[in-house]
Amino acid sequence: MPTIAENLLNIHQLIRRYENYYHRETGSTELLAVSKGQSIDKIADAITAGQKRFGENYLQEALEKISHFNDPSLEWHFIGAIQSNKTKLIAENFQWVQSVENFKIAERLNDQRPEHLPPLNICIQVNISEEDTKSGVAIADVPELVKQCANLPRLTLRGLMAIPQQKKLLRDQRVECMKLRLLWENLYENANFFDTLSVGMSDDLEAAVAEGSTMVRIGTKIFGKR
Ligand SMILES: *Cc1c(COP(=O)(O)O)cnc(C)c1O
């Protein structure tokens, strides 16, 4: 069994290879290690190997990990569904929230972000493949939500996030990622730090890098099965 350090090295090498192949700037795709359902020990191994960014979906589990490591050099991203009664703890404990899908949640995060912390980085989650079962805002509603969120002073709107419908072929995966990229490019001017296109998981990594992803989110291929 490869170690977590070896898995991280392999994924970084794969990302660099795709960046090169698709004429992306080297290092322009960041890696978010999705650590939901993974143990403290495994996360500690990843930290030792140099990983700083972690994604979590479940608040209680995440809070235990954040307080266990209590390390300001780590960056915790909330990427799960958000219930409105959880926004306060999310606003107090995370550096990023990638799963904002309506204004009510954005406003609560803004109002509850503690004064002593910098503005909370957020991404708007888009239901890019327009699936009934997926979370995220509909494509048609994204521009309005971007405008609204850009006006909240305690949030920094960094970009868009999506979990595209699974497709087998690279070209079909690229079409899904491209839809998100085009939407993102058209919204650039609405926010000051709109630099994040969060797309790409284990099975569509190549397509995502080809289409300009700036942050891929990988769990199982780093830590093993949950
Ligand atoms: C779980 C999850 C991932 C990572 O999934 P893996 O299959 O473990 O690589 C990425 N993004 C989101 C939003 C997730 O919930």
Side-chain angles (χ1 to χ4, degrees):
M1 273 252 295
T3 64
I4 285 171
E6 286 164 347
N7 289 341
L8 278 166
L9 188 64
N10 285 338
I11 290 165
H12 279 297
Q13 285 175 344
L14 202 55
I15 292 171
R16 295 297 93 90
R17 191 180 324 141
Y18 293 144
E19 282 176 345
N20 185 37
Y21 186 75
Y22 292 103
H23 308 293
R24 298 274 317 274
E25 197 182 314
T26 302
S28 55
T29 320
E30 290 170 353
L31 174 61
L32 182 72
V34 177
S35 47
K36 63 170 176 226
Q38 306 288 356
S39 69
I40 295 278
D41 285 352
K42 287 187 169 182
I43 299 172
D45 285 352
I47 294 170
T48 304
Q51 182 65 29
K52 294 284 185 192
R53 293 186 182 84
F54 293 91
E56 290 281 341
N57 296 53
Y58 309 107
L59 182 60
Q60 207 48 51
E61 178 192 333
L63 293 178
E64 282 165 28
K65 293 169 178 172
I66 293 169
S67 74
H68 173 87
F69 289 106
N70 189 25
D71 178 350
S73 78
L74 300 181
E75 196 177 88
W76 295 93
H77 293 230
F78 193 81
I79 59 173
I82 307 173
Q83 294 162 273
S84 46
N85 63 347
K86 303 282 171 65
T87 50
K88 185 161 185 286
L89 282 168
I90 294 174
E92 288 171 351
N93 288 283
F94 285 79
Q95 284 75 42
W96 284 67
V97 179
Q98 296 202 15
S99 43
V100 173
E101 56 175 358
N102 62 59
F103 186 61
K104 182 183 154 205
I105 293 291
E107 208 171 24
R108 288 177 66 92
L109 291 169
N110 178 74
D111 296 347
Q112 293 168 336
R113 179 68 170 171
E115 277 305 319
H116 69 277
L117 296 176
L120 180 63
N121 297 293
I122 67 157
C123 290
I124 289 171
Q125 184 174 352
V126 184
N127 186 356
I128 199 70
S129 310
E130 316 252 64
E131 294 171 277
D132 291 345
T133 54
K134 279 274 171 66
S135 36
V137 59
I139 293 171
D141 299 331
V142 173
E144 180 64 23
L145 186 56
V146 163
K147 279 210 184 79
Q148 291 174 320
C149 289
N151 288 326
L152 296 173
R154 300 297 297 146
L155 303 183
T156 302
L157 176 59
R158 298 294 296 266
L160 304 179
M161 182 271 255
I163 308 170
Q165 190 173 31
Q166 288 190 2
K167 307 268 186 189
K168 281 210 182 66
L169 295 178
L170 177 67
R171 64 160 188 271
D172 295 336
Q173 294 173 346
R174 284 189 67 165
V175 170
E176 297 305 299
C177 296
M178 189 201 306
K179 283 196 271 180
L180 188 71
R181 173 170 59 81
L182 294 174
L183 189 62
W184 180 71
E185 285 173 351
N186 283 321
L187 293 166
Y188 254 170
E189 288 138 30
N190 288 285
N192 282 335
F193 301 98
F194 209 66
D195 57 2
T196 302
L197 184 60
S198 174
V199 66
M201 296 166 56
S202 302
D203 295 330
D204 61 354
L205 184 63
E206 178 171 358
V209 175
E211 293 300 332
S213 170
T214 69
M215 197 181 295
V216 293
R217 309 178 308 265
I218 312 280
T220 318
K221 284 211 168 144
I222 297 172
F223 296 108
K225 283 220 160 31
R226 288 183 282 275

